[in-house]
Amino acid sequence: MTSSSREEITLNAIALCKLAQAYGIPVVLSTVAVDMGVNEGTIPEIRAALPGVKEIDRTGVNAWEDDDFRKAVQDTGRRKVVIGALWTEVCLAFPTLDMLAEGYEVYPVADA
């Protein structure tokens, strides 16, 4: 089922990126299995909204289980995390639950 059009979701994600940039909020951007040739990287419109932010390519769907991703979040020094993901039921839910279990305040963004 689709909750929103691809265009609307893309615009929402870009707006979220631009807000983070405008307010100086650290951004951790990750992909999964791009280096393995399974998936493509972040779409150009989102990359353009995040100048200077490097992608972390993971091998698993739960970002919190990836050492580089976890370290990048920890290195921000923030305990409040806003998270968006391509697949809500996996890419958003799994790391959200793990971060909550570790005492982070997590704010998932739907449709972005």
Side-chain angles (χ1 to χ4, degrees):
M1 291 290 157
T2 303
S3 60
S4 299
S5 71
R6 179 183 174 106
E7 293 79 18
E8 184 178 10
I9 292 171
T10 298
L11 288 173
N12 291 345
I14 291 167
L16 189 63
C17 295
K18 288 182 176 182
L19 283 168
Q21 292 289 298
Y23 286 97
I25 298 169
V27 174
V28 177
L29 177 64
S30 70
T31 58
V32 68
V34 172
D35 290 343
M36 295 168 50
V38 176
N39 294 312
E40 296 179 17
T42 304
I43 62 173
E45 298 90 343
I46 292 175
R47 295 291 303 133
L50 295 170
V53 176
K54 295 180 181 179
E55 289 181 323
I56 297 170
D57 190 46
R58 311 181 321 271
T59 56
V61 294
N62 184 346
W64 199 243
E65 293 176 347
D66 182 271
D67 291 337
D68 292 334
F69 180 88
R70 177 191 287 264
K71 182 177 181 335
V73 172
Q74 291 169 338
D75 286 352
T76 69
R78 308 283 180 109
R79 298 297 294 176
K80 293 182 180 183
V81 176
V82 176
I83 185 171
L86 182 59
W87 298 102
T88 302
E89 65 277 8
V90 178
C91 300
L92 187 125
F94 291 172
T96 294
L97 293 172
D98 287 346
M99 286 187 275
L100 286 170
E102 292 188 27
Y104 285 82
E105 282 184 57
V106 184
Y107 301 89
V109 178
D111 294 332

